Amino acid sequence: MKKTVALFLALVMVFGLLACTSGTPSAGTPSSGTSASSETQTAPSSSSSAATGTTDNPAPEAQKNEVEEVDVNVSAYNESPILAEQVAAGKLPPVDERIPNQDNVFVETNDASGKALSIGTYGGIINQGPAGGSWGLSRPSLESIIRYNTDGTYYPNVIKAYEHSDDYTVWTFYLREGMRWSDGDDFNADDITFWYYMCHLNNFDSKKSWAALKESVNGEDAWAKLTKVDDYTVTWTFVNPKYPADFIMNGDFKWCWAPSHYLNDLVPDCEGYAWVENEYWPSTGLSEEQVLANAKAKGIDSATVKDLGKAVAYNSWNVAGVPQVNSFVLLSGTKDDPLCILERNPYFWKVDAAGNQLPYLDALHFNATSADGQDLLMFRSGDLDIIEVGMQDIASILSELGDKVEVHSYSSSNWGSYQITFNYTCKDPNYANLFANAAFREAMSICVDRGQVSELLTDGFLEPGQCAPAAGNWGYDSEWEQKWTEYDVAKAQQLFESCGLVKGSDGFYTFADGTPLLITFYEYDGLQDTSYPVLEKYFKAAGINCALKNFEVGAFDTEIDNNDWIAVMGPHTAIGGLSLYDRVAPFVPVQQAAEWYGDYGTWYGTNGAQGVEPTGDFAKLIEYYEEWRAIPDPADREQWAEKIYDLHKQNLWSLAYLKAEAKYVLIYSNVKNYATVLVDADLYQYANIAHYEVLYKAN
């Protein structure tokens, strides 16, 4: 049975790999910037206008999605019967007053792989498991500046169109006239300027680090000038050229708006959050105490301005009442409630090819589970419609439910499974020097029997492998994938001793100065509780004493940010991924984001004001990245990406013990329009690539 399931899953994965051989944005998008999932050339009169600039080509040629042509007839708008009842009762304006006109509305015709969408029916609820972390509610609902197809091409999404000057110093965003927030207020350029000057540049949102909006001028950080041209046009102006890879395609730059009408009394002007002078918004003059009181009056209880800003201007989808432009919105409660409900946005600005306002579904339900395996039981009983499962669970579920359910796979962009990483900027020089020695990392890799790890942790489904790009991803290298994977305890101990470690009478190594060596692996939310005992056995057998310490994810991130750690098992931001276009931070120490480079990232992100200055190959990563980001021609740019990848291959700063696992999702067959070709990556916003706004339940 295991072999049968493995073969079946391999066949499922083939289709994903064919559609995303590089997983990175590629050439082939029509010059008008039309997309595989909307704004198609077949119906220009009913689709919104697209970017005037063409997309970038950052990687070797990928197979393009074959976009199916769709007849579009948006001569009039239709809406959910539930919304029609509210219109009749005077609680909502008519649908054609709630969404943009036919020149500005977004017409969704194809899924992310180019397959034509079925015209759905209104009603129904999708039940899922718990919302998870701070981004959980956003995965199926968040709408971003641009959106990606599975072949890496991209297109304007929330913005109607964009263009750049010939020298790439000025970028223009065109908005959708008639678009509204979920509470009915106009969405316009004021919401862009408010976000930038009142929420971002003062670090109220806690994210004044996005490379997309800053540059270096005379050796100092400088920020883009944002100008409101008119109510539906803004420009971003830079001193130096700002190429697509560093701007429109930057994985962190997902949005650039905030509901000014709702947040204007929640932004302080106080120490740490001083007003940034601008021509659009005067200082609120509010103290920390005043904004916290104003927030409480709106039902938002925050202990500090820092907590408030991150909640309402960054992870705002988690705060009930904050207006959104997303397909589904949280109107009450919290994501941690036993039942968390995201309801249809009545002002959502997308329609299908027949003019039906999206989304089709009434709501998304996130159901808390209280015990291991409860989510599987709920799925088997039909209480959940969609569930992410491990490959080892698929066979039994299919044998029980048969064609009532379907398997959908997300091609993996991860660099191996069961990763560990070390703090190369550890405050204790004994550990920092040890980790910097490649011989130590090799020893920690080969002292583990990966074949046994595979059997114990995955029932043999995942093959042994290393922290390297997976087959089908850009940069895949079979030699890299197998580097330091051959089990050899004797050699590992020779390598440990070559690093100056001395084995004590208890069988564990100490540092040369006699100081005990104890590698405490940090984890968050208990995610490594199963894998740690398996790996611990091998580490201790080879002479490395170790322990596991668990944190809630917020406390974990604080420990990492404070550089108060030695090693991590299952990093929060793992090394590698789809490509540099997905997010630079997992590949290069440009900010305090990924554990494997620790305070080296802080140094770069603060322009040397904090952190530890990178040296050696860490410094080379930054050097190559600076070259990469400064080249407009994607073909020329790739040589620098290759150099960055080669440094990772040489050093293996993080170790993995098994090959990357794809993500498998089981869905009841009555849920329609769920894409069959999917990629699991931050660039694609994970589950967002399934386009929940077009899902519906067949009768």
Side-chain angles (χ1 to χ4, degrees), residues 25 231 331 342 349 558 599:
D231 285 345
L331 297 182
L342 292 187
W349 38 277
T558 298
D599 255 13

Side-chain angles (χ1 to χ4, degrees), residues 127-132 334-340 365-388 525 527:
N127 273 288
Q128 301 183 113
T334 75
K335 70 177 182 63
D336 298 318
D337 290 341
L339 176 61
C340 173
H365 284 191
F366 295 85
N367 299 266
T369 53
S370 58
D372 287 345
Q374 184 185 0
D375 54 348
L376 285 173
L377 292 174
M378 293 176 68
F379 183 79
R380 283 185 159 99
S381 65
D383 293 326
L384 298 183
D385 300 292
I386 298 175
I387 186 174
E388 182 179 340
D525 293 344
L527 295 181

Side-chain angles (χ1 to χ4, degrees), residues 199 202-207 266-268 270-273 287-289 291-292 295 300-315 319 554 557-559 561-562:
C199 297
N202 60 357
N203 204 36
F204 181 60
D205 64 358
S206 77
K207 293 296 173 181
L266 300 184
V267 178
C270 61
E271 184 178 355
Y273 303 94
S287 66
E288 179 171 351
E289 293 74 20
V291 299
L292 293 177
I300 305 169
D301 194 6
S302 295
T304 66
V305 165
K306 181 179 180 180
D307 294 337
L308 176 65
K310 188 169 185 178
V312 300
Y314 189 65
N315 301 130
V319 183
D557 288 339
T558 298
E559 292 291 310
D561 290 347
N562 292 338

Side-chain angles (χ1 to χ4, degrees), residues 83 126 209 236 242 397 431 460 486 526 627 640 663 674 695:
L83 298 183
I126 291 290
S209 60
W236 306 89
K242 197 71 169 176
I397 296 175
Y431 287 99
E486 186 175 348
E627 295 285 352
W640 297 103
K663 184 170 81 174
Y674 200 100
L695 301 187

Side-chain angles (χ1 to χ4, degrees), residues 4 13 16 50 117 176 194 221 283-284 306 404 407 428 451 472 506 681 689:
T4 301
M13 288 299 300
L117 295 167
R176 301 176 185 277
F194 182 85
D221 281 347
S283 167
T284 63
K306 181 179 180 180
K404 291 182 180 179
V407 181
D428 186 329
D506 60 358
I689 201 169

